[in-house]
Amino acid sequence: MRASILHVDLDAFYASVEERRNPALHGKAFAVGGGVVLSASYEARRYGVRSGMGARRARELCPQIIIVKGTFEDYRSASDDVFEICRRFTPVIEQMSIDEAFLDVSGSEHLFGPAEQIAHDLKALTLTETRLTVSIGVARSKFLAKIASKVAKPDGIVVVPPDREREFLDPLPVDAIWGIGAATKERLARYGVESVADLAAMPRATLAGWFGPYLGPHLQDLAVARDARQVKTTHRARSVGSQSAFGGDVHDRARWDRILLGVADRVSRRLREKDRSAATITTRVRFSDMQSVTRARTLSAPIATTDGLFAVARGLMLTAVSEASEGRGLSLLGIRTTKLRVAAPQQLEFDLGLGDTLIRPGTAASIQRYDLDRAVDELREKFGSKSVGRASVMLGGDGWVPDEFRELAQARETG
């Protein structure tokens, strides 16, 4: 196979759009956001400023930093402009988020030249027409192309020829592999597995024993450059999720509840927009030292109400805190829903006094909440997302990321 898959990733996208709008920011340390940093310029990153960090911490690291608010329409417009340029080279595009996409150019090379030439031409056109820079990875698989684009940052192109894939992968740290986060990296390090080459050399049976019969072998497949996933122009959503990073070291449980309720509201609304309900709810809790833990629960029947989702997620959050907090505060809360099913009309069940009425979709309370959520959805569609909502969330004063920004950052799902 030829190296004909491109991963196109816009450099410091939100910050770059703000700099384009206001050239006076060029060369300065600045961040996009409010109470929480959403994106930072490369000058600010040199001081350790990162997305998801509280604005106070960002100012401690970089006293001269400038905080600017987001301009949501500018982001959407800039993204559309860049990916319209991509479509001039190939119709086979899988857009992963507002600022990154995979392109399969295997059917376009007879028109525009080899994939590496397409990458250079696409990069030049993007800079000329949008004044934004992209980093591009070129490889024969999505996995390698994405890693290559990360290595290429900022403003570069990295091509991984098929006969040099292991040469490219082997020296990289093991967390370059998709699916290996900080906790898994630490666990592997205890066994002496620190590089991709170390992971590739492990017996498959050993990895299956450590991480399960699917994940263990899958991680090794990636380590040896085995990835058969194709670029898909459409795909059905398999999960719906959202999270809020609020920075600092928060111990206030009432604030945890407000934040988690806001996340549950966003996730349930997206489920209803897709006409889906979810059976498995996973809550992610990140502590003040950036360590994250997750807890999950699978229900007997799927739900899509805000109150039901919040009730399950809150129980998981409190479990995670009681088991793992060790006195630490929180800095992020997130919810991910999986095992999605097409939402179906619910038949009213008999009241047998079983409790958990909000998380059983057939109860009178759950049906009423679903009808209420649908009414709120319609009002927001007509009058805007800030027109109606739960008072504790809207008046909590937590300085969250506006919903418009979150929606832009979500992977674009169709089907």
Side-chain angles (χ1 to χ4, degrees), residues 177-195:
I177 301 291
W178 286 352
I180 297 182
T184 305
K185 179 183 179 181
E186 182 180 349
R187 183 179 178 187
L188 287 167
R190 291 200 295 268
Y191 297 106
V193 179
E194 297 184 344
S195 69

Side-chain angles (χ1 to χ4, degrees), residues 30 50 111 237 318 323 330 346 406:
F30 72 94
R50 295 290 183 267
L111 295 173
L318 294 177
E323 293 177 351
L330 306 187
Q346 295 299 321
R406 298 181 189 281

Side-chain angles (χ1 to χ4, degrees), residues 8-21 30 32 38-42 45 71-83 95 97-100 126 130-135 153 405 408-409 412:
V8 178
D9 196 353
L10 283 143
D11 296 325
F13 176 57
Y14 306 107
S16 296
V17 173
E18 290 301 324
E19 185 176 322
R20 184 180 69 171
R21 187 177 65 85
F30 72 94
V32 181
L38 307 176
S39 179
S41 67
Y42 285 105
R45 295 182 189 188
T71 49
F72 313 117
E73 291 304 320
D74 281 357
Y75 302 145
R76 182 181 291 110
S77 176
S79 174
D80 290 344
D81 289 345
V82 171
F83 293 118
Q95 190 169 344
S97 67
I98 192 173
D99 60 352
E100 63 172 319
T126 300
T130 71
R131 290 184 290 136
L132 298 172
T133 63
V134 295
S135 295
K153 281 187 169 293
F405 189 97
L408 287 176
R412 296 191 175 183

Side-chain angles (χ1 to χ4, degrees), residues 307-322:
D307 287 342
L309 190 61
F310 171 68
V312 177
R314 184 176 187 272
L316 295 169
M317 173 189 71
L318 294 177
T319 297
V321 170
S322 66

Side-chain angles (χ1 to χ4, degrees), residues 275-288:
D275 198 28
R276 296 289 186 272
S277 54
T280 297
I281 291 91
T282 301
T283 299
R284 180 187 178 202
V285 176
R286 190 177 74 192
F287 297 105
S288 54

